[in-house]
Amino acid sequence: MSKDEALKKLHKKWLQECTCRLRYSSTQGVPGDGNANAQIVFIGEAPGAKEDKDGRTFVGSAGKFLSEMLESIKMKRDDVYITNIVKYRPPENRDPTSKEISDCAKWLEEEIKLIDPALIVFLGRHSMNHFFPEEKISEAHGVLITGNHFGRVRNFLPLYHPAAALYNGSLREVLKEDFKKIPRLLNGLE
Ligand code: URA
């Protein structure tokens, strides 16, 4: 079975089995999507209104900004894989609770292990702090960290969340600069 087929099967299973309570208040589960053979996986927070409606990650304004930043480093959405720590939209876009994050954690773990990327990019503090609770996004952004997660020691790059950067001009410039480090970091890892 190809990685692509295995990933489809994995999402089908978790869409039926995930115990996250948010499944009852949201329209649908939003699995990760993109290239199953990607070298980079982006992990965001949770689907917003547009993602909840369309069933696809990062398709709203934050997603548009993410696509622009990918283009700035000569990459397309199809080159990477984009997922969230929580697969269902929290009501009124509130922050996901630690219970909701842990209820969706096995789903995320299985998708990361299957794709097995060289680099995992955290989009925002929620995804970073689930794995590195001591880190502060204001200090950790743009700096590679390693940690034993998803079955082995892996490389992680924390970035500000594109939605936060959309509403704050200075964060936007920081995020754009941090984003430009990705190709160089990836070259060093391969
Ligand atoms: N913000 C996220 O963290 N994830 C999405 O899928 C959309 C917006």
Side-chain angles (χ1 to χ4, degrees), residues 44-48 51 57-58 84 161:
E45 183 181 323
E51 290 77 20
T57 58
F58 281 94
N84 285 305
H161 194 288

Side-chain angles (χ1 to χ4, degrees), residues 37-52:
N37 295 294
Q39 286 301 291
I40 311 177
V41 169
F42 289 86
I43 307 181
E45 183 181 323
K50 181 99 170 79
E51 290 77 20
D52 178 65

Side-chain angles (χ1 to χ4, degrees), residues 145-160:
I145 43 179
T146 54
N148 195 341
H149 294 292
F150 311 113
R152 67 170 172 86
V153 174
R154 292 179 187 271
N155 299 294
F156 299 89
L157 179 69
L159 296 181
Y160 281 113

